[in-house]
Amino acid sequence: MEKVWLSSYPSGIAAEIDPSRYRCVTQMFEEAFSKFADRNAYVCMGHNLTYADIDRLSKVFAAWLQQTGMQKGARVAIMMPNVLQYPIAIAAVLRAGYTVVNVNPLYTPRELEHQLKDSGAEAIVVLENFAHTVAAVIANTAVKHVVLANMGELLGLKGALVNFVVRRVKKMVPEFSLPQAITFKQALAQAAHIALTPVTQEPGDIAFLQYTGGTTGVAKGAALSHRNIIANVLQSEAWLMPGIAQGVDAEQLVFVCALPLYHIFALTVCCLLGTRRGVLNVLITNPRDIPGLVKELSKHKVSTLPAVNTLYNAMLNNPDFEKLDFSGYQCCVAGGMAVQKAVADRWMKVTGCPIIEGYGLSETSPVVSANPINIKEYTGTIGLPLPSTEIAILDDDGNPVPLGQPGEIAIRGPQVMTGYWNCPAETAKVMTPDGFFKSVDIGIMDAHGYTRIVDRKKDMILVSGFNVYPNEIEAVVAAYAGVLECACVGVPDEHTGEAVKLFVVRKDPALTSEQLMAYCKTQFTAYKKPKYIEFRNDLPKTNVGKILRRELRDSAVAAAAQA
């Protein structure tokens, strides 16, 4: 296949990267910890930790993990928002020779139980605000060790006040019972005089299990090896840093980590690439608090702001955002969902900094392609494949289509996962014999190598950059006593890109949308919950009884347009 995109590469960007530069992510971390020891690495709620701090604390916590007796390759779950303990825990799990299982802290018990059981996690580090969810399911899992973090424990003198407000004033810590748990600080104290045992890690060892619906509605762990992760860090660096590394030695770059670290985009761009380059990461614990986010931005000379379309839009609609100093902004990267032209144009007008839209998936560590960093305006494309990355546009038989024709986007490169965790049959469905991962997204590549996404092969719904799969929603809703049958589709939403609309045929005539919404609230994390419910007497089906989701989607979109 001809790599037509290489002729469109900006000057100075090589066509290939060398992922063998590091044997494992741990080696990359330890190099950065030594090189940038005196620099601040993370700041959260006004408190800084240096790279030396992350080095020291992660080494101690890694030693504690090892003394539990877990064997090399054991899975350790991390269930926290963006707090200082998160990057420490990531580095510690990897340094101890284990695999990180990132968990959305807003998961319901049902969702958490599936992920813990499927991954076989033996330990979990959880912010106490979400410990009640762990308590509800731990008996059904292999988890033996629970470490409880809290908001204030690493915030210095003001930590006690933060904890008092979180626990007593705002009552953000629901009651729970986890008698086997110890606190994060207790774990550090217990291991203060225990030496970390160095672990030999191979490039093919699994570093992260990133859970995703993949091509179906059943959440599966994308097994990302150390080589996968290192490759994508180096690919992202090769593409982005020439445009934002000006004066890096004289003045430290500042990344805003508003996206959650459990999401692969923030994990790779902020935590991993950020560590390699010695940046200061500004951790935003609650990005939904837009006034608070804008206030935090005002305290720093920001260099890079990775975000999704909805977050960019929310910031632009805050009255104080335009008052900020944007002179340091060198690169704003977008992924997770399509960037809307109106948002990109307005962002450029307000900040003077273009949004560099890219494309990626959990299965690709995640970055596949991106627009050149020197663009001056919205392109409407996902850009060019990154170095060492190939994109093929395939027809239904797996054959490449001519340039300018639509087909399924398939990706080959060193960042493509080793497979779905313990799901060889599902892995086989998405991998071609010659090593391309089939994305289920439909795109068109032009003669210059730029790709535009035009549709989805499957019925996946994209809510604020998160995948929602109708199969999962329908299976859970169908289990409700008053439901005869149901279907869900994505409908356009100005705030989240798409929203979930649920169509229901009642079994119980008295069933109300309020009852169903209340049930969904207990079963789904926020982005998965249906925003709209419509009751119908029947649902459109094929001759063999398959519900026609596309017909429902078309009618829903038409109704919204007329409203």
Side-chain angles (χ1 to χ4, degrees):
M1 183 182 64
E2 184 183 357
K3 300 178 182 179
V4 296
W5 53 84
L6 293 180
S7 62
S8 298
Y9 266 30
S11 175
I13 294 182
E16 304 289 334
I17 54 95
D18 178 14
S20 67
R21 186 183 304 183
Y22 298 104
R23 186 181 188 89
C24 59
V25 179
T26 301
Q27 183 188 3
M28 185 178 73
F29 273 159
E30 292 177 347
E31 177 185 87
F33 294 159
S34 174
K35 183 178 180 181
F36 305 114
D38 295 335
R39 289 187 181 184
N40 285 327
Y42 292 89
V43 59
C44 184
M45 301 182 196
H47 191 78
N48 291 287
L49 289 181
T50 65
Y51 279 94
D53 292 330
I54 302 294
D55 182 19
R56 172 178 55 84
L57 293 169
S58 65
K59 188 180 294 183
V60 174
F61 191 46
W64 183 88
L65 289 168
Q66 286 183 339
Q67 64 83 38
T68 65
M70 290 186 292
Q71 299 300 303
K72 179 189 173 184
R75 277 74 63 205
V76 178
I78 304 177
M79 186 175 179
M80 294 187 283
N82 290 356
V83 291
L84 290 171
Q85 294 93 328
Y86 210 138
I88 294 169
I90 289 173
V93 173
L94 296 176
R95 295 179 93 171
Y98 304 135
T99 296
V100 175
V101 181
N102 285 309
V103 179
N104 183 339
L106 299 179
Y107 269 168
T108 64
R110 180 190 66 82
E111 293 165 321
L112 175 63
E113 181 177 345
H114 168 75
Q115 188 162 330
L116 293 179
K117 289 169 72 173
D118 187 77
S119 66
E122 297 178 43
I124 187 168
V125 185
V126 58
L127 192 72
E128 63 179 4
N129 304 48
F130 310 100
H132 63 288
T133 311
V134 176
V137 303
I138 191 170
N140 302 326
T141 74
V143 174
K144 304 180 189 70
H145 313 286
V146 180
V147 179
L148 293 171
N150 62 66
M151 285 284 192
E153 64 190 341
L154 295 183
L155 297 181
L157 295 176
K158 71 176 182 180
L161 176 60
V162 169
N163 280 339
F164 177 79
V165 172
V166 168
R167 294 167 178 168
R168 306 298 180 193
V169 179
K170 296 188 177 180
K171 301 188 185 303
M172 296 171 66
V173 183
E175 288 187 16
F176 63 89
S177 176
L178 287 167
Q180 73 274 54
I182 69 168
T183 68
F184 192 79
K185 273 203 165 181
Q186 285 173 333
L188 294 175
Q190 287 181 11
H193 303 293
I194 300 176
L196 173 65
T197 302
V199 179
T200 300
Q201 295 169 309
E202 302 298 332
D205 290 344
I206 304 304
F208 294 89
L209 286 185
Q210 286 293 130
Y211 272 76
T212 173
T215 58
T216 71
V218 179
K220 298 178 294 297
L224 303 178
S225 68
H226 285 268
R227 181 177 185 267
N228 291 152
I229 294 295
I230 289 165
N232 207 231
V233 169
L234 297 180
Q235 289 168 319
S236 300
E237 177 184 54
W239 195 259
L240 296 174
M241 295 311 293
I244 60 176
Q246 308 300 326
V248 66
D249 294 326
E251 186 175 344
Q252 186 181 21
L253 295 173
V254 178
F255 284 14
V256 177
C257 191
L259 299 176
L261 283 170
Y262 60 79
H263 193 282
I264 188 66
F265 184 25
L267 175 69
T268 297
V269 175
C270 293
C271 178
L272 300 171
L273 174 58
T275 295
R276 172 162 161 74
R277 299 299 301 209
V279 311
L280 171 62
N281 263 297
V282 181
L283 292 179
I284 305 299
T285 304
N286 179 18
R288 291 188 180 88
D289 175 13
I290 300 300
L293 169 58
V294 172
K295 184 177 180 181
E296 191 65 26
L297 293 177
S298 71
K299 301 175 184 177
H300 304 278
K301 189 170 184 180
V302 174
S303 311
T304 300
L305 201 166
V308 294
N309 183 81
T310 49
L311 186 56
Y312 283 123
N313 191 41
M315 286 186 281
L316 287 168
N317 286 313
N318 177 274
D320 294 322
F321 180 74
E322 292 191 18
K323 303 173 186 175
L324 298 179
D325 175 12
F326 302 109
S327 62
Y329 282 51
Q330 298 178 51
C331 176
C332 293
V333 187
M337 63 188 299
V339 174
Q340 297 167 337
K341 185 178 188 302
V343 172
D345 290 348
R346 187 177 172 198
W347 183 268
M348 181 68 178
K349 181 179 179 181
V350 171
T351 69
C353 183
I355 294 177
I356 308 300
E357 184 173 6
Y359 172 70
L361 309 101
S362 296
E363 293 90 341
T364 56
S365 305
V367 191
V368 171
S369 67
N371 278 276
I373 198 166
N374 58 1
I375 63 167
K376 298 302 181 184
E377 59 185 11
Y378 174 81
T379 70
T381 77
I382 57 171
L384 306 167
L386 264 56
S388 295
T389 304
E390 297 170 83
I391 287 180
I393 309 296
L394 307 178
D395 63 20
D396 289 340
D397 295 321
N399 300 312
V401 302
L403 291 173
Q405 295 298 311
E408 182 173 8
I409 297 172
I411 304 105
R412 183 167 66 184
Q415 73 271 51
V416 174
M417 67 175 181
T418 64
Y420 290 123
W421 179 254
N422 289 337
C423 291
E426 291 298 325
T427 302
K429 289 179 184 177
V430 299
M431 298 301 299
T432 67
D434 54 350
F436 279 86
F437 167 74
K438 297 186 289 185
S439 70
V440 310
D441 288 314
I442 303 299
I444 296 174
M445 181 181 289
D446 67 21
H448 301 288
Y450 286 83
T451 300
R452 177 169 55 91
I453 294 179
V454 294
D455 203 347
R456 294 197 183 95
K457 189 172 183 178
K458 301 294 182 181
D459 291 318
M460 183 183 76
I461 305 165
L462 203 59
V463 180
S464 293
F466 291 95
N467 295 355
V468 178
Y469 292 87
N471 286 345
E472 180 188 12
I473 308 301
E474 292 164 5
V476 173
V477 172
Y480 193 75
V483 173
L484 177 63
E485 60 181 5
C486 63
C488 78
V489 301
V491 295
D493 186 274
E494 63 178 334
H495 301 295
T496 58
E498 285 187 310
V500 177
K501 180 166 184 176
L502 186 64
F503 294 87
V504 176
V505 177
R506 293 184 179 99
K507 181 188 300 181
D508 176 3
L511 177 64
T512 66
S513 58
E514 290 79 9
Q515 290 171 324
L516 209 47
M517 284 289 195
Y519 168 71
C520 289
K521 188 174 182 180
T522 68
Q523 298 296 309
F524 302 114
T525 193
Y527 69 86
K528 294 182 184 177
K529 285 189 302 182
K531 186 172 183 178
Y532 310 102
I533 295 178
E534 180 177 329
F535 292 105
R536 289 196 170 191
N537 294 326
D538 53 41
L539 299 177
K541 299 182 180 71
T542 65
N543 292 335
V544 295
K546 184 177 180 181
I547 295 173
L548 294 168
R549 289 194 188 127
R550 181 169 294 278
E551 189 173 317
L552 289 170
R553 186 186 303 114
D554 291 345
S555 67
V557 171
Q562 293 175 359

